[in-house]
Amino acid sequence: MPNADQTYLQADQPEGVPPLELTGERTLPDVPEENYWYRRHVAVYEWIAERCAGLRVVDLACGEGYGSDLLARSAAEVIGVDANPAAFEHARARYRRPNLRFQRGLVEDFNEDLEPTAPK
């Protein structure tokens, strides 16, 4: 039986990228115990990415950011939005593309007409 007090942290993060802890709130790559759920998410993001080539996309509650990064491979522009400060900082530090940016905020407060806020 697994130890309920076990802590799972992302491994092998690029320099300057804070690893996230597996809390059950989000799916994380780089955590072997989470691989099944991560792979399921990736399959869905890949399916969606095929359908949004060249479009502007908002990934609300983007979590760690891997899905936004995957969408940015084909979309014209992607904004990943998440309220969690640790997830936001992680995504902003780890995933960098000219057509990808991350915004910290609540899903219900997102307004595409607002000017993007500068990363803090």
Side-chain angles (χ1 to χ4, degrees), residues 13-106:
Q13 297 305 292
E15 185 176 331
V17 177
L20 293 175
E21 181 181 344
L22 182 62
T23 63
E25 180 182 350
R26 68 188 59 82
T27 300
L28 300 175
D30 310 312
V31 176
E33 293 79 5
E34 186 71 356
N35 191 53
Y36 171 80
W37 295 109
Y38 168 69
R39 291 287 169 207
R40 287 183 61 136
H41 281 202
V42 167
V44 173
Y45 272 109
E46 287 173 342
W47 184 85
I48 293 168
E50 292 174 9
R51 287 148 181 83
C52 65
L55 300 176
R56 293 178 67 215
V57 177
V58 178
D59 186 11
L60 296 171
C62 69
E64 192 266 358
Y66 64 84
S68 299
D69 183 65
L70 198 153
L71 294 172
R73 294 177 192 170
S74 61
E77 177 186 7
V78 176
I79 303 170
V81 179
D82 203 278
N84 182 280
F88 167 74
E89 288 299 331
H90 174 91
R92 193 170 64 93
R94 181 165 182 180
Y95 301 105
R96 297 175 180 258
R97 294 178 183 273
N99 63 333
L100 173 63
R101 65 185 164 89
F102 293 94
Q103 194 171 317
R104 184 170 165 226
L106 298 172

